[in-house]
Amino acid sequence: MQNSVEKYLRTEKLPHIWCAGCGNGIVLGAMVRAFEKMGCNQNNTVIVSGIGCSSRAAGYMDFNTLHTTHGRALAFATGIKMAKPGIDVFVIMGDGDAASIGGNHLIHAARRNIDLTAIIFNNQIYGMTGGQYSPLTPPGSIATTAPYHTIERNFDLPELARVAGATYVARGTTYHAAMLTNLITAGAAHKGFSLIEVVTACPVSFGRRNKMGGAYDMLMWQKKQAVSVEKAKSMTPEELQGKFVIGELYKGAAPEYTEVYDRLIEKAQGKSEEE
Amino acid sequence: MTEVIPLARLMQGNEAVAEGALAAGARFFAGYPITPSTEIAEILAKKLPAVGGKFIQMEDEISSMAAVIGASLVGLKSLTATSGPGFSLKQENLGFAALAEIPCVVVNVQRYGPSTGIPTATAQGDIMQARWGTHGDHPMIVLCPASVQESFTLTIQAFNLSERFRTPVVLLSEEIIGHSRERVVLPDLSEIKIINRKKPPAGLDRYCPYQADADGVPPMANFGEGYRYHVTGLIHDESGGPTTDPKKAESLINRLNNKIMDHLDEITMTESLMTEDAEIIIFAYGATARSAKSAVKKAREMGIKAGLFRPLTIWPFPAKEVAALCARANAIIVPELNLGQLIGEVERVAGLDTRVTGINRVSGEMIRPDEILDAIKTEVKVKKHAK
Ligand SMILES: Cc1ncc(C[n+]2csc(CCOP(=O)(O)OP(=O)(O)O)c2C)c(N)n1
């Protein structure tokens, strides 16, 4: 296994920049295992990322990699996919990146149902800038910009993406790493906009301030709080309070953006009367 | 018999930009509607798919600029079009394109500002934003058309320069040019010179995306062509990987500047009218140069030695050309539809020996030829007094 996934990494760029105990490496591991499983063509795959600790993952992978501006990864990715629909595109974002500064691009990429696989590293905090709250920080948390506690409600990102029009929506954790590989593989295989939220740990900027313990304890927290889709079905809203559901949350079908545009080209060129 | 000119048409400035983009080989547009640039998007929404190209209306100008960069990276010549407020929103990603060396064209049809201003009134208020709108130091190539015909030719030139130097290029039009209709003669496509980005040779063992040739420009492989590499807005080394090494940082920023400043002969375009013996020179760009031209002609009829110098490339500023003018002329008059932006550059180059005065208007109206003529006459008087 070790050797077979190594070819997806730029080993000369390691060691990575992440702190000891950071979950980002586990997500990166799940991604390369998913690539191995899919038998991915590196030359024909683009990995786009935003700005944040998590977005540095792109640079460690041996693909066509594009590390963009904060929040804008999906917009760059939209240009790439639109210009060359035959290319497979993965998009890596942090929770602040995707849900705050990039929130508008997220809902519009979902609405277009453009064939991209978005992987959101949700460490519930702004890691790179040292622990400010994000739109995914649970209310009542301590952050450097919430010294008393956060008073804002957090997004349910998969739910947001689903109602915006995403056709594949899933949530995983770094504790359930094998499941995560499967979710990424399924998201990539799905035609349309796929979003996979990954609950991951930032012991330094989130765990420490919120008395969650170290890296190990935060993984155990993920294990304890996560409820599978199947199990959640038989639970009451009260029982689900404070928990989060993991697994494949939604799979639907809708016309994919670049395919629809290709038909529009045919129409514009007088080759079809469609649409 | 009437002369038959093939392809002569009545055309709007914005339409000429769209036609110029298509002629240059542009096959991707991403944008967000804003007066007075919207026609460019509307025309390309129709024409791009007809030639197999792609048009997308994005959710805002930030994402439009991002999508344009993405599309260029996979090999499509790409552009966006906007006006003041949208131009401000594009700045962060425009800086990304400059640092990551991604060719693309940004059209800014200037309108009256600041803020929402007067959306339908003309202006030349973005001269400095076009040069210094992003953060950090990087060169910018900015072209200013003065007519509908030039909107066509300079759009092609903008693409050529962006491909030649792997850099974003700004076409700075104005409401009055974008919305004017004039006679245009479109050249035969076979007569148009098209420059495409320099590619690395096939079959390299290792492609270094930011290793420049002697001209300072690195060959560019498109994503998906087999050379896998990293592109980032972080300061990077020749491999594309991030670095904070002071030497590497400095050499990158210097190279970005030098690749432009070492090739001014390929970039600088200017037009001179009766400047050889001129004592008074009007330095004017864009639509204002139209008024200046007729003022200069009238001044000559009155026996005043006036001339017009018009930069089509306003950035990099044509310092060498302006210095040559200053060596000959006594006075330079700079009419601008702002409170004095490019005049600062003229003054910098002119030094103390040449009088530089501005004619400025911020009413949303043009500066009229007679106003420029009056300024010329004033200079004649000043000169007499000086003697
Ligand atoms: C336009 C802009 N605003 C702010 C920043 C500063 N900044 C860098 S990363 C970041 C947040 C990172 O948090 P997140 O997206 O959750 O990713 P993480 O680092 O936790 O992986 C911010 C605010 C920036 N780089 N660009």
Side-chain angles (χ1 to χ4, degrees):
Chain A
M1 193 73 180
Q2 180 71 22
N3 283 336
S4 60
V5 297
E6 223 169 64
K7 71 167 190 264
Y8 297 108
L9 295 170
R10 291 185 175 129
T11 47
E12 76 280 9
K13 297 290 177 197
L14 298 173
H16 55 66
I17 61 155
W18 300 316
C19 310
C22 174
N24 288 350
I26 303 177
V27 190
L28 176 64
M31 284 187 74
V32 292
R33 284 186 195 93
F35 292 140
E36 172 69 11
K37 242 174 111 171
M38 295 181 259
C40 157
N41 175 350
Q42 284 154 277
N43 285 338
N44 199 45
T45 302
V46 178
I47 302 179
V48 186
S49 67
I51 294 291
C53 299
S54 41
S55 285
R56 289 297 192 96
Y60 301 130
M61 289 186 269
D62 191 7
F63 289 83
N64 305 283
T65 55
L66 176 61
H67 178 230
T68 65
T69 46
H70 191 29
R72 317 303 174 193
L74 279 170
F76 282 79
T78 297
I80 289 172
K81 186 69 185 179
M82 182 72 178
K84 213 169 174 191
I87 270 188
D88 295 323
V89 184
F90 292 82
V91 186
I92 292 169
M93 291 168 283
D95 47 306
D97 204 37
S100 191
I101 190 164
N104 199 31
H105 311 309
L106 179 72
I107 57 174
H108 289 282
R111 177 177 63 83
R112 293 187 186 106
N113 194 35
I114 187 161
D115 187 22
L116 310 169
T117 306
I119 299 165
I120 291 146
F121 293 43
N122 176 15
N123 58 4
Q124 306 175 297
I125 201 79
Y126 284 8
M128 179 138 272
T129 42
Q132 301 75 33
Y133 61 91
S134 92
L136 295 193
T137 306
S141 306
I142 302 295
T144 60
T145 45
Y148 302 107
H149 58 77
T150 52
I151 59 169
E152 295 182 17
R153 294 186 296 164
N154 51 338
F155 274 135
D156 179 336
L157 208 55
E159 185 62 8
L160 178 70
R162 187 186 66 77
V163 297
T167 46
Y168 180 93
V169 172
R171 185 188 281 120
T173 83
T174 51
Y175 176 83
H176 306 85
M179 177 204 263
L180 183 56
T181 300
N182 292 336
L183 293 175
I184 294 170
T185 312
H190 176 79
K191 185 132 210 121
F193 185 75
S194 307
L195 178 138
I196 298 135
E197 178 194 314
V198 188
V199 178
T200 175
C202 178
V204 173
S205 283
F206 188 69
R208 196 164 43 116
R209 283 194 188 90
N210 287 286
K211 312 250 176 310
M212 293 176 80
Y216 170 80
D217 306 294
M218 291 185 83
L219 276 173
M220 288 305 127
W221 177 86
Q222 290 172 18
K223 180 187 183 200
K224 190 161 146 258
Q225 298 308 112
V227 177
S228 71
V229 178
E230 296 75 33
K231 193 164 170 217
K233 280 184 190 139
S234 60
M235 288 169 74
T236 65
E238 291 73 38
E239 287 170 327
L240 279 169
Q241 194 66 41
K243 306 265 182 193
F244 55 84
V245 182
I246 59 167
E248 212 166 79
L249 304 176
Y250 175 74
K251 201 169 169 178
E256 192 276 324
Y257 191 76
T258 61
E259 282 189 354
V260 176
Y261 197 87
D262 277 345
R263 291 206 294 277
L264 191 132
I265 289 178
E266 284 171 17
K267 187 186 174 194
Q269 295 183 335
K271 291 183 195 154
S272 84
E273 281 306 303
E274 230 185 308
E275 252 155 315
Chain B
M1 234 174 74
T2 49
E3 193 192 358
V4 181
I5 300 165
L7 305 169
R9 283 171 58 184
L10 186 66
M11 201 182 268
Q12 192 197 49
N14 283 341
E15 190 183 352
V17 168
E19 292 294 346
L22 291 168
R27 289 297 176 267
F28 187 90
F29 178 98
Y32 190 81
I34 184 166
T35 304
S37 75
T38 308
E39 293 84 2
I40 299 171
E42 289 170 339
I43 293 164
L44 290 174
K46 184 156 190 213
K47 294 208 162 181
L48 272 171
V51 295
K54 311 285 169 81
F55 169 93
I56 186 167
Q57 181 174 315
M58 292 296 286
E59 51 272 17
D60 57 29
E61 286 87 349
I62 301 171
S63 48
S64 305
M65 191 66 223
V68 158
I69 295 169
S72 179
L73 251 174
V74 290
L76 296 195
K77 288 190 186 175
S78 305
L79 81 156
T80 183
T82 188
S83 188
F87 192 53
S88 299
L89 287 177
K90 289 187 195 291
Q91 293 298 331
E92 187 193 9
N93 286 335
L94 193 52
F96 181 95
L99 181 66
E101 301 181 71
I102 314 294
C104 55
V105 171
V106 178
V107 181
N108 174 6
V109 187
Q110 292 170 95
R111 68 189 229 180
Y112 191 106
S115 193
T116 310
I118 307 175
T120 51
T122 202
Q124 296 180 316
D126 302 349
I127 304 303
M128 285 298 168
Q129 188 183 199
R131 175 63 188 92
W132 299 109
T134 81
H135 59 288
D137 253 310
H138 61 83
M140 273 310 288
I141 298 177
V142 181
L143 310 181
C144 276
S147 65
V148 174
Q149 179 74 49
E150 237 170 49
S151 298
F152 178 82
T153 52
L154 287 192
T155 300
I156 297 172
Q157 192 60 12
F159 273 99
N160 283 348
L161 292 172
S162 80
E163 294 281 321
R164 164 74 179 90
F165 294 106
R166 281 193 68 174
T167 189
V169 174
V170 172
L171 183 84
L172 209 51
S173 182
E174 299 158 43
E175 187 280 335
I176 201 159
I177 297 169
H179 282 167
S180 289
R181 281 172 206 280
E182 293 184 306
R183 180 175 175 277
V184 166
V185 182
L186 297 189
D188 196 79
L189 277 185
S190 61
E191 285 163 20
I192 298 172
K193 187 182 166 214
I194 299 295
I195 299 177
N196 294 315
R197 63 192 66 170
K198 180 170 67 182
K199 293 292 202 63
L204 285 183
D205 279 345
R206 185 161 166 268
Y207 166 60
C208 248
Y210 294 101
Q211 190 173 53
D213 290 343
D215 64 356
V217 183
M220 180 173 176
N222 297 326
F223 273 8
E225 288 180 343
Y227 290 119
R228 300 190 296 272
Y229 64 96
H230 189 55
V231 176
T232 176
L234 287 166
I235 293 298
H236 43 268
D237 59 22
E238 292 182 339
S239 78
T243 178
T244 54
D245 180 329
K247 282 210 181 73
K248 288 180 179 165
E250 192 163 45
S251 93
L252 171 58
I253 295 301
N254 283 332
R255 178 175 64 74
L256 290 184
N257 279 281
N258 293 342
K259 77 175 176 181
I260 301 301
M261 299 313 285
D262 289 348
H263 297 97
L264 291 181
D265 53 329
E266 290 178 59
I267 298 166
T268 304
M269 292 172 279
T270 65
E271 186 188 79
S272 297
L273 177 73
M274 296 183 275
T275 54
E276 298 78 23
D277 63 339
E279 291 167 355
I280 300 164
I281 299 229
I282 316 296
F283 173 104
Y285 54 91
T288 308
R290 306 279 290 266
S291 295
K293 190 173 187 174
S294 87
V296 163
K297 281 183 182 161
K298 278 187 191 135
R300 284 279 170 175
E301 282 165 17
M302 297 164 70
I304 304 170
K305 286 188 174 168
L308 168 68
F309 177 81
R310 181 169 75 93
L312 286 72
T313 309
I314 62 160
W315 300 113
F317 185 75
K320 196 178 76 188
E321 289 75 6
V322 172
L325 291 177
C326 292
R328 302 197 296 261
N330 304 315
I332 300 194
I333 300 169
V334 186
E336 294 183 89
L337 296 180
N338 55 50
L339 289 178
Q341 295 197 12
L342 208 51
I343 191 173
E345 287 294 305
V346 179
E347 285 169 341
R348 178 176 69 77
V349 174
L352 297 173
D353 294 337
T354 313
R355 253 177 71 84
V356 179
T357 49
I359 305 175
N360 305 96
R361 167 144 302 165
V362 285
S363 64
E365 300 159 298
M366 288 293 290
I367 296 170
R368 293 191 314 272
D370 60 291
E371 294 172 292
I372 299 174
L373 187 60
D374 285 346
I376 294 173
K377 288 182 198 156
T378 306
E379 285 305 326
V380 174
K381 280 186 209 142
V382 170
K383 199 188 150 205
K384 274 195 190 129
H385 277 282
K387 273 185 178 165

